[in-house]
């Protein structure tokens, strides 16, 4: 009943803690543990640790979810801010009675599928003119989202429309601009490498 022609269907999908996570608007529904086809909220009336999880990502604004990325926590990108879903108690398994949603940053994301690179999640900001890396900072004990285009703001203009990851022979992130220009981004957090390049496509059409 949660998904239908009337209610709509998921716009973002990810796997997290052996669960299938489906998201639309401000809602995330997660399947039962290790059973992606079951979204049963209880077992014969009893809510178990492996039961399905249904949560609302709420804030002062009605921010729609535009992307999910799994890792140690589930990163939830909305058009008004960035959130994480995690288990607040490490002594209990992740489940309906051990889940927390917290807001981390307030930049807002563009509806382009985010990319997980190591411990970072690359996302395109809502305007399409900035690329940010959502990552945990031990200094502030929270997630931050530094601007990856701070020294090359011109390179992503007019805006970014697509991005993809190339793993071999060198890890490279590729972006497509709205005007058809191809961009490459060499990104390695462990080596502190951040380098942009522009690739103009040939042809006359």
């Amino acid at each position: 009943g949660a998904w239908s022609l009337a209610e709509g269907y998921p716009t973002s999908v990810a796997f997290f803690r052996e669960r299938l996570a489906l998201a639309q608007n401000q809602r995330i529904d997660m399947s039962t543990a290790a059973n992606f086809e079951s979204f049963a909220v209880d077992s014969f009336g009893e809510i178990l640790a492996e039961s399905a999880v249904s949560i609302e990502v709420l804030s002062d604004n009605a921010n729609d979810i535009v992307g999910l990325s799994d890792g140690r926590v589930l990163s939830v990108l909305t058009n008004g801010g960035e959130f994480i879903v995690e288990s607040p108690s490490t002594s209990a398994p992740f489940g309906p009675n051990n889940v927390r949603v917290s807001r981390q940053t307030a930049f807002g994301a563009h509806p382009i599928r985010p990319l997980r690179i190591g411990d970072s999640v690359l996302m395109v900001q809502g305007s399409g003119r900035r690329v940010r890396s959502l990552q945990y900072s031990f200094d502030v004990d929270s997630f931050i989202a530094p601007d990856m285009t701070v020294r090359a703001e011109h390179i992503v203009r007019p805006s970014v429309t697509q991005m993809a990851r190339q793993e071999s022979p060198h890890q490279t992130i590729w972006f497509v601009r709205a005007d058809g220009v191809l961009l490459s981004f060499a990104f390695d957090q462990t080596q502190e490498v951040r380098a942009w390049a522009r690739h103009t496509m040939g042809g006359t059409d």
Side-chain angles (χ1 to χ4, degrees):
W3 311 105
S4 65
L5 287 174
E7 298 295 333
Y9 291 100
T11 56
S12 298
V13 180
F15 291 100
F16 179 65
R17 302 285 180 90
E18 297 186 1
R19 299 172 184 266
L20 173 63
L22 308 174
Q24 185 199 45
N25 299 330
Q26 295 90 44
R27 175 179 173 146
I28 302 176
D29 285 311
M30 298 185 190
S31 69
T32 58
N35 187 355
F36 303 146
E37 296 184 357
S38 173
F39 287 81
V41 296
D42 58 38
S43 177
F44 300 101
E46 183 180 3
I47 298 177
L48 306 175
E50 60 266 22
S51 297
V53 178
S54 183
I55 53 179
E56 296 279 343
V57 180
L58 302 176
S59 65
D60 51 352
N61 296 316
N63 299 321
D64 289 340
I65 299 170
V66 297
L68 300 173
S69 180
D70 69 301
R72 184 180 61 83
V73 299
L74 180 66
S75 300
V76 182
L77 310 181
T78 76
N79 53 21
E82 292 70 52
F83 299 76
I84 61 168
V85 175
E86 61 181 340
S87 49
S89 173
T90 57
S91 60
F94 177 82
N97 295 321
N98 187 32
V99 59
R100 177 175 62 193
V101 182
S102 58
R103 187 170 188 162
Q104 302 297 306
T105 55
F107 296 106
H110 199 65
I112 297 175
R113 184 180 178 88
L115 297 177
R116 177 165 289 279
I117 311 296
D119 293 331
S120 302
V121 176
L122 280 184
M123 68 177 204
V124 179
Q125 198 169 324
S127 64
R129 297 184 178 183
R130 292 186 184 276
V131 177
R132 294 188 176 273
S133 172
L134 186 65
Q135 59 197 48
Y136 182 78
S137 171
F138 289 96
D139 294 336
V140 297
D141 191 24
S142 180
F143 282 78
I144 59 174
D147 185 2
M148 299 292 99
T149 54
V150 66
R151 296 186 179 180
E153 294 182 359
H154 64 286
I155 203 165
V156 292
R157 294 177 181 173
S159 65
V160 169
T161 60
Q162 298 180 62
M163 67 175 175
R165 175 182 178 178
Q166 175 187 335
E167 188 64 34
S168 179
H170 305 289
Q171 180 172 277
T172 305
I173 316 302
W174 294 95
F175 296 84
V176 177
R177 279 193 339 202
D179 58 1
V181 173
L182 189 65
L183 307 175
S184 64
F185 180 45
F187 176 62
D188 190 332
Q189 284 287 76
T190 60
Q191 301 297 325
E192 299 184 354
V193 173
R194 302 175 187 175
W196 289 90
R198 183 169 47 237
H199 308 267
T200 303
M201 305 301 288
T204 58
D205 187 356

